[in-house]
Amino acid sequence: YSKAVLYLEKAESIYDEFSLPEDESYINLLNSLAANYFFLGLHDKSDEYFKKGIEKIGSSNSVLSLNFLNSFAIVLGNGGKVNNGEDLIVGSLEKARRFYGPESRDYIEVLKNYAEYLRTYNIDLKKSLRLYEQCISYLNTHEDDFTLKEPVLLGYALALSENGEQSRGLELIQKLLFADISGRCSIHGD
């Protein structure tokens, strides 16, 4: 992480030195700096970069902006500010719904992030399951979306297990693991 911070700070200095536009790549840079500082245990520096990123995002609805908000929510949750993190994710979900629409992949990805947040911080497992099921409904009509399928199904399996439905969660993991052997991964066991 320290080596990454070194190079990321160099990149930030290039933005400053040449007055480069503070676009989506810059927001991604701030996200990376904030996350790396967090993992180094330098929480004040991490907060500084997350706050800077929040200011730069403004009304942006880009995927990178939504990802930035998710990263910040996780850092808040890990720092014991679980409710603040949830508020941030709920706000980004509303942004995604308004800008991309509730049937869009981008909205579903933020919905998955919210379900994961609820599960990870043990806020509301029942709601987490419902949100994962909405994501699965999307996946049932977008079977080729492999980059979203795995985290949704894994998160759903974990939520099932944490909700006392270990056998259903294990069955889902087995189907996910052996999807290539059978040719497809039937999500609901149909």
Side-chain angles (χ1 to χ4, degrees):
Y1 295 112
S2 58
K3 196 170 202 173
V5 165
L6 179 71
Y7 290 115
L8 291 166
E9 283 183 344
K10 178 68 176 165
E12 184 184 28
S13 71
I14 291 170
Y15 269 93
D16 291 340
E17 183 180 342
F18 295 101
S19 299
L20 297 175
E22 295 176 347
D23 56 6
E24 297 307 311
S25 296
Y26 184 70
I27 289 171
N28 197 38
L29 171 67
L30 295 176
N31 187 18
S32 297
L33 273 163
N36 277 281
Y37 275 123
F38 178 80
F39 290 119
L40 283 170
L42 300 171
H43 300 279
D44 289 341
K45 280 296 260 189
S46 176
D47 289 348
E48 175 187 327
Y49 277 101
F50 274 124
K51 287 175 185 169
K52 189 174 184 179
I54 293 289
E55 290 171 11
K56 299 295 178 189
I57 288 173
S59 61
S60 173
N61 296 306
S62 73
V63 173
L64 287 174
S65 295
L66 296 173
N67 183 53
F68 181 91
L69 293 172
N70 184 58
S71 294
F72 190 26
I74 291 168
V75 166
L76 288 170
N78 288 342
K81 299 175 183 173
V82 175
N83 292 336
N84 296 28
E86 183 181 6
D87 290 345
L88 205 55
I89 289 187
V90 168
S92 68
L93 183 63
E94 180 56 28
K95 278 179 116 173
R97 187 193 63 72
R98 278 193 321 267
F99 190 75
Y100 294 107
E103 304 300 319
S104 69
R105 187 202 188 280
D106 295 320
Y107 174 81
I108 296 299
E109 187 162 7
V110 178
L111 190 66
K112 184 264 309 168
N113 292 342
Y114 186 28
E116 188 172 294
Y117 192 87
L118 292 171
R119 180 188 57 76
T120 300
Y121 298 102
N122 202 21
I123 298 169
D124 187 341
L125 284 174
K126 298 281 188 204
K127 185 173 185 177
S128 176
L129 285 169
R130 287 192 308 273
L131 297 179
Y132 277 123
E133 288 165 358
Q134 288 178 31
C135 295
I136 289 170
S137 292
Y138 168 85
L139 289 171
N140 284 334
T141 60
H142 296 83
E143 294 177 9
D144 294 335
D145 193 341
F146 299 110
T147 58
L148 194 54
K149 182 181 275 187
E150 185 176 316
V152 165
L153 295 180
L154 179 59
Y156 185 56
L158 289 168
L160 285 168
S161 179
E162 292 166 12
N163 198 47
E165 299 181 64
Q166 293 85 354
S167 58
R168 276 187 66 202
L170 181 59
E171 182 181 315
L172 188 59
I173 293 295
Q174 288 173 331
K175 287 180 181 181
L176 186 60
L177 287 171
F178 299 109
D180 289 339
I181 294 170
S182 66
R184 277 187 56 186
C185 176
S186 175
I187 295 171
H188 291 293
D190 303 341

